[in-house]
Amino acid sequence: MSALDALRTSLSGMNAQTTKLAGISNNIANSSTVGYKRVSTQFESLVLDGASSGSTAMAGTAAHNRVSISQVGEVQKTGVDTDIAVNGNGFFVVNEHAASNGKYLATRAGSFRTDEFGNLVNSAGYFLQGTKLGANGQAVGSLGDNNVDSL
């Protein structure tokens, strides 16, 4: 292993630690953010082909921050009737516009408030999407094939 290889290996280790520290910083900064999912860092070894004899030479490490967006968080009572939670798999579908003609997004953060028109809106200003129900609790009209167009 040459001196340049040793420096490259050391640099990759420092870069990997920087990635891990960035994940830790995000976790601390967002610890009280509603719906935030903890970042975990995974490391992997990088190996390059060595000399023509078939040997290998260590080339360092790399780190990847991963977010488990479907992981269930702790459900907490807030005392607000419009706060809702997903218990298990799934997401809330929100839209940029109340009329559903904007961009659809998915979130697990269930802190919603009513606007002046009675729409449920989250803190980012996105409108909760859903299906209208009749007095009997059944969907009004056709649900289609359960895609966002039917919301």
Side-chain angles (χ1 to χ4, degrees):
M1 177 182 270
S2 71
L4 185 59
D5 290 336
L7 286 174
R8 184 180 303 119
T9 300
S10 298
L11 180 61
S12 73
M14 289 188 293
N15 286 335
Q17 287 300 324
T18 300
T19 301
K20 181 174 177 73
L21 286 174
I24 292 170
S25 297
N26 277 333
N27 289 338
I28 292 170
N30 291 297
S31 62
S32 62
T33 301
V34 175
Y36 177 76
K37 298 298 178 189
R38 183 179 167 277
V39 171
S40 63
T41 305
Q42 295 179 340
F43 294 91
E44 64 182 337
S45 297
L46 303 176
V47 181
L48 296 178
D49 288 332
S52 60
S53 64
S55 64
T56 59
M58 286 301 293
T61 187
H64 303 283
N65 285 337
R66 308 230 186 244
V67 181
S68 300
I69 62 170
S70 60
Q71 180 181 4
V72 177
E74 183 179 337
V75 176
Q76 301 174 346
K77 288 187 178 187
T78 63
V80 179
D81 291 339
T82 56
D83 286 349
I84 51 181
V86 174
N87 191 6
N89 293 331
F91 294 90
F92 297 113
V93 178
V94 294
N95 196 301
E96 296 173 314
H97 305 288
S100 303
N101 56 356
K103 180 171 56 173
Y104 286 104
L105 300 167
T107 182
R108 288 185 63 92
S111 178
F112 294 96
R113 302 294 179 263
T114 55
D115 66 4
E116 63 271 15
F117 302 108
N119 299 310
L120 290 175
V121 182
N122 67 11
S123 60
Y126 292 102
F127 295 87
L128 180 64
Q129 303 296 290
T131 301
K132 291 182 181 181
L133 300 178
N136 61 358
Q138 298 298 315
V140 174
S142 173
L143 281 181
D145 56 355
N146 245 353
N147 59 29
V148 293
D149 294 333
S150 66
L151 296 176

